[in-house]
Amino acid sequence: MKVTVIVTLKPTVLDPQGNAIQRNLETAGISGVTDVRQGKYFEVEVSDAVGASERRVLIERLARDVLTNPVIESYRIEWE
Amino acid sequence: MKVTVIVTLKPTVLDPQGNAIQRNLETAGISGVTDVRQGKYFEVEVSDAVGASERRVLIERLARDVLTNPVIESYRIEWE
């Protein structure tokens, strides 16, 4: 079963990479974009041998303890 | 107006970073995850002065020409 985890910077955290993209858009002839923020996107495949409730705990742990730096990032899980 | 662009590796392209995460999960006591693939996630803010059809063209160009490497990646746009 496939689950998606999206990790984004907290709103109060600066995103220099996103800012650099936004500033360079004018050079590429693209105007009208006022802000770009970059996050991470993970497609996670869980074995079908793992039960539904166990899967929930597993993915929560994966997202919280492995994929996210809780000081500057937050995560969201999309169950498909 | 906020638009989300998600850039993922094409299915045929190897993802060493995702593989490394997957292999190290056992060490973190998380088992049952058979595959992890990492992509990029962009939250893009477009000026309200840009009309709806112009915005469509703008975001398509941003996604296709700036955020995606068409040789190894594909993109998907989520209009909110």
Side-chain angles (χ1 to χ4, degrees):
Chain A
M1 192 230 190
K2 210 170 84 176
V3 180
T4 303
V5 180
I6 294 163
V7 177
T8 50
L9 287 168
K10 290 183 179 175
T12 51
V13 177
L14 293 174
D15 178 5
Q17 195 169 358
N19 290 347
I21 294 168
Q22 191 269 328
R23 278 198 313 275
N24 283 289
L25 289 180
E26 300 280 343
T27 318
I30 298 172
S31 59
V33 173
T34 54
D35 192 31
V36 176
R37 286 180 76 81
Q38 181 164 2
K40 288 177 287 183
Y41 180 88
F42 299 95
E43 290 171 345
V44 180
E45 187 74 40
V46 182
S47 165
D48 289 335
V50 177
S53 65
E54 201 189 334
R55 184 171 58 222
R56 229 178 164 81
V57 174
L58 180 77
I59 295 292
E60 282 283 351
R61 279 196 59 201
L62 169 65
R64 195 185 56 229
D65 299 342
V66 180
L67 302 179
T68 305
N69 174 350
V71 179
I72 57 167
E73 295 170 331
S74 53
Y75 67 89
R76 145 172 131 241
I77 299 170
E78 290 180 356
W79 309 89
E80 279 162 48
Chain B
M1 193 231 191
K2 211 169 83 175
V3 180
T4 302
V5 180
I6 294 164
V7 178
T8 51
L9 287 169
K10 290 182 179 174
T12 51
V13 177
L14 293 175
D15 179 5
Q17 193 168 0
N19 289 348
I21 293 169
Q22 192 269 327
R23 279 198 312 276
N24 282 288
L25 289 180
E26 300 280 342
T27 319
I30 297 173
S31 58
V33 173
T34 54
D35 192 30
V36 176
R37 283 181 76 81
Q38 180 163 4
K40 288 177 286 182
Y41 179 89
F42 299 94
E43 289 171 345
V44 180
E45 187 73 40
V46 183
S47 165
D48 289 335
V50 177
S53 65
E54 201 189 335
R55 184 171 59 223
R56 229 177 164 84
V57 175
L58 181 76
I59 295 293
E60 282 284 352
R61 280 197 58 199
L62 170 65
R64 194 187 57 228
D65 299 342
V66 180
L67 302 179
T68 306
N69 175 351
V71 179
I72 57 168
E73 294 170 332
S74 54
Y75 66 89
R76 148 172 130 240
I77 299 170
E78 290 181 354
W79 309 91
E80 276 162 50

